[in-house]
Amino acid sequence: MRRALFCCGALAFSLAAMADSKTATIGVSATLVSACEAGSSSGGSISFGSLNFGTLYFLSTAVSVAGQQNAGAIRVKCNNGTSYSVLLDGGQSGNTAARYLQSGAGQRVYYNLYTSAAHSTVWDNLTGVAQTANGADNWLPVYGMIPVQATPAVGSYTDTVQVTINW
């Protein structure tokens, strides 16, 4: 009986002596690249809402409007520290210096979009507005103005302006 116990004990000791361990490392990494998102998505398309000059009777005085969240202001969210610029095209006129709203009958109401309430700098498709992101939503108001001009026929006048964000 003693022999059997000794044999089993020696076997257990020799298995324990044969156990070994190795250690190694595994690398873990992630690469963050500059990225931006803009506008709000609805039905698969991205929009900034509409900049609405409202109901007008005469164009004998200038009419101004400032974009608000989801109503003509531009929402941009980029990674913290990412530099970006926002450009606006000329709409249906193709010319940022001579934008117009057009009726179904082809009549026009001239207007423009500006980078500030002073209406001194046209928001164009070359320089636009440049900023550095802080990682949070940034709302850029668009300032619109219809200058004094002859009042065309009554009707609904519209334009669509493309927004481009470069980073």
Side-chain angles (χ1 to χ4, degrees), residues 2 13 15 22 30 34 38 48 60 63 116-117 124 131 133 141 145 161:
R2 282 187 185 177
F13 178 72
L15 288 176
K22 298 277 184 184
S34 296
F48 299 102
S60 54
V63 180
S116 72
D124 65 11
Q131 305 241 328
M145 185 172 70
V161 174

Side-chain angles (χ1 to χ4, degrees), residues 100-157:
Y100 57 80
L101 306 167
Q102 187 165 311
S103 71
Q107 301 240 349
R108 296 178 179 175
V109 171
Y110 292 92
Y111 78 99
N112 222 324
L113 303 174
Y114 299 88
T115 60
S116 72
H119 303 109
S120 56
T121 304
V122 171
W123 200 324
D124 65 11
N125 58 352
L126 298 173
T127 306
V129 171
Q131 305 241 328
T132 300
N134 62 7
D137 281 350
N138 186 22
W139 288 92
L140 302 171
V142 177
Y143 298 92
M145 185 172 70
I146 296 174
V148 172
Q149 59 194 280
T151 303
V154 298
S156 180
Y157 290 76

Side-chain angles (χ1 to χ4, degrees), residues 12 68 70 82 99 106 108 139 145:
Q68 305 296 317
N70 299 313
T82 299
R99 291 181 174 109
R108 296 178 179 175
W139 288 92
M145 185 172 70

Side-chain angles (χ1 to χ4, degrees), residues 2-3 7 28 32-33 40 51-53 58 62 68 75 85 98 105 110-111 116 125-126 140-141 156 162-163:
R2 282 187 185 177
R3 244 185 205 191
C7 241
V28 179
L32 294 175
V33 296
S40 41
L51 186 66
N52 189 341
F53 285 100
F58 299 101
Q68 305 296 317
R75 181 190 73 87
S85 64
Y110 292 92
Y111 78 99
S116 72
N125 58 352
L126 298 173
L140 302 171
S156 180
Q162 182 174 314
V163 179

Side-chain angles (χ1 to χ4, degrees), residues 57-89:
Y57 300 99
F58 299 101
L59 300 178
S60 54
T61 59
V63 180
S64 298
V65 65
Q68 305 296 317
Q69 289 184 10
N70 299 313
I74 299 171
R75 181 190 73 87
V76 180
K77 180 179 180 182
C78 298
N79 304 77
N80 190 21
T82 299
S83 296
Y84 66 91
S85 64
V86 179
L87 309 174
L88 303 182
D89 80 355

